[in-house]
Amino acid sequence: MASVSIIPSGDYKTSYGSDTTIFPTRTSRNFAILGVILLLACPAFMDRYWLSLLIQIGYLGIAALGLNILVGFTGQISIGHSAFFGFGAFASAWASNSLGVPVALAIPLAGVMTTLVGLLFGMPAARLKGLYLAIATLAAQYILQDFFARADWFTGGTAGTIAEPLTIFGFAFDTDERFFYVALVALVVMYILATNLMRTRDGRALVAVRDHYLSAEIMGINLTKYRTMSFGISAFYAGIGGALYAHYLQFVSVEGFTILFSIQFLGMIIIGGLGSIMGTLMGTAFMVFLPEAMQALTKLVSGTALDTALNLKDNIAFLREMSIGLVIILFLVFEPDGLAHRWKQIKAYWKLYPFSH
């Protein structure tokens, strides 16, 4: 992945530890802290509509990061991510409803349970690549979808199941204003964990498997181990995101976890940037706000001369779905490195301006 990093003059790295910090400069660290502080104030001046969108970015961003670890950092492919997202949602609801586990513990438990399922499918898939791996993950998608529809004891079958709201010490996070902080804390923690993972030996091994698996194997990296590990980590993140989704909506239904949802997860990491943690969040935000922007556009176009000339009529509502596929294609053609790469180029331009070199 192409990247541009401009370090201010006088900001030198004198140790390996300082060279692998989360934030490359003090300025970037301070802006990140300021951003979190501003987000903490959002419930005070935002209505429920915007808070709902930000909460969606939270739990979808966590799940999408897991997929980016698998696809962007390890070089694997998965088109069944929404099934693991759904398993996490059902697992957390089942643990809290049937086992009596507190929701605060059911959420990480759902992540662990989803990890085990991810490893179950990841072990055979770790020996595959390319089209064969894509078909294996597609099979996982349909196997889990069928399981959701038939396992009444676990999912409630086609009728779905109720998920209890998150409660800590008697305080229920059952409104958008309250659950926003849950999603924000979970997002920050999971993204810091992923960033630290990429700085470890195992994280560098995952990247080596992606860059050139033969060279990685020659250096002593166990390909099967790390490919399987990446499936497990990806499933864990999907499970945590799905559990947050369940306890936010307080209801889980099997219809929501289709192959189209998996394609949307792929769109998030493609648009944001494969192999970029920051890009994952940018791509998720883009995909959450895109349907809302298209809905506003369709309202403007509906009933106008353009609507009449193109004879859109009732089909105008499908512009929202069409836009997702169109945007993915445009990014693959014109910006394959995603929004994260474009953002780095913009920062580099302003740091170097007015010089071009």
Side-chain angles (χ1 to χ4, degrees):
M1 309 300 169
S3 62
V4 179
S5 179
I6 307 298
I7 303 298
S9 177
D11 195 350
Y12 301 111
K13 307 296 183 183
T14 57
S15 66
Y16 182 77
S18 62
D19 195 44
T20 58
T21 55
I22 294 178
F23 301 103
T25 64
R26 290 183 293 271
T27 303
S28 62
R29 179 195 62 196
N30 293 337
F31 269 105
I33 295 173
L34 177 62
V36 173
I37 293 174
L38 291 176
L39 285 173
L40 289 172
C42 284
F45 60 87
M46 283 188 175
D47 58 23
R48 294 183 60 187
Y49 170 75
W50 290 104
L51 286 177
S52 175
L53 294 180
L54 292 179
I55 292 171
Q56 287 182 54
I57 293 173
Y59 60 72
L60 292 177
I62 292 172
L65 180 57
L67 183 61
N68 211 349
I69 291 174
L70 177 65
V71 179
F73 287 100
T74 315
Q76 302 294 89
I77 184 65
S78 174
I79 49 178
H81 199 63
S82 71
F84 298 107
F85 183 85
F87 188 90
F90 283 119
S92 187
W94 174 75
S96 59
N97 294 337
S98 301
L99 302 183
V101 178
V103 174
L105 298 178
I107 292 175
L109 177 61
V112 173
M113 293 173 64
T114 312
T115 301
L116 297 177
V117 176
L119 291 174
L120 179 65
F121 287 102
M123 283 187 288
R127 299 183 179 275
L128 305 174
K129 60 182 179 180
L131 178 62
Y132 300 101
L133 178 59
I135 295 300
T137 58
L138 181 64
Q141 168 77 37
Y142 285 110
I143 289 172
L144 287 176
Q145 274 188 248
D146 188 67
F147 171 75
F148 295 157
R150 297 176 184 274
D152 293 350
W153 59 273
F154 185 72
T155 65
T158 56
T161 185
I162 300 294
E164 298 179 2
L166 173 62
T167 303
I168 299 178
F169 300 119
F171 185 83
F173 295 87
D174 53 357
T175 64
D176 288 347
E177 291 80 7
R178 296 178 179 182
F179 198 87
F180 172 80
Y181 292 109
V182 176
L184 179 61
V185 170
L187 182 73
V188 172
V189 170
M190 298 301 286
Y191 269 65
I192 290 176
L193 289 176
T195 304
N196 283 325
L197 171 64
M198 292 302 114
R199 298 162 60 205
T200 64
R201 180 182 183 276
D202 290 332
R204 293 191 295 272
L206 295 176
V207 175
V209 172
R210 177 200 69 190
D211 289 343
H212 202 290
Y213 69 94
L214 289 178
S215 299
E217 191 172 23
I218 291 172
M219 290 189 294
I221 294 175
N222 189 325
L223 299 183
T224 302
K225 171 188 172 181
Y226 283 103
R227 285 172 175 168
T228 306
M229 179 192 295
S230 67
F231 271 98
I233 296 172
S234 175
F236 177 76
Y237 273 75
I240 295 294
L244 291 172
Y245 161 85
H247 295 291
Y248 169 59
L249 296 182
Q250 299 178 27
F251 181 78
V252 192
S253 176
V254 298
E255 288 84 5
F257 312 111
T258 63
I259 184 66
L260 295 179
F261 197 18
S262 294
I263 299 300
Q264 289 185 29
F265 276 121
L266 282 172
M268 292 173 192
I269 63 174
I270 291 172
I271 291 171
L274 293 174
S276 171
I277 292 177
M278 178 185 69
T280 304
L281 191 58
M282 296 172 70
T284 303
F286 188 95
M287 289 292 284
V288 169
F289 287 124
L290 177 63
E292 307 305 318
M294 291 305 300
Q295 183 176 12
L297 179 62
T298 54
K299 287 182 179 179
L300 290 175
V301 174
S302 180
T304 63
L306 179 62
D307 183 11
T308 305
L310 298 178
N311 196 28
L312 295 174
K313 296 182 180 179
D314 295 335
N315 295 324
I316 198 170
F318 294 100
L319 287 176
R320 296 179 62 187
E321 286 72 19
M322 293 169 56
S323 63
I324 295 175
L326 177 62
V327 165
I328 292 175
I329 293 172
L330 292 176
F331 267 88
L332 286 173
V333 174
F334 297 106
E335 193 58 84
D337 290 328
L339 293 172
H341 174 64
R342 180 57 55 186
W343 173 242
K344 290 179 181 179
Q345 286 188 320
I346 293 172
K347 289 195 299 181
Y349 172 81
W350 286 108
K351 286 180 179 179
L352 294 173
Y353 184 83
F355 304 104
S356 61
H357 58 277

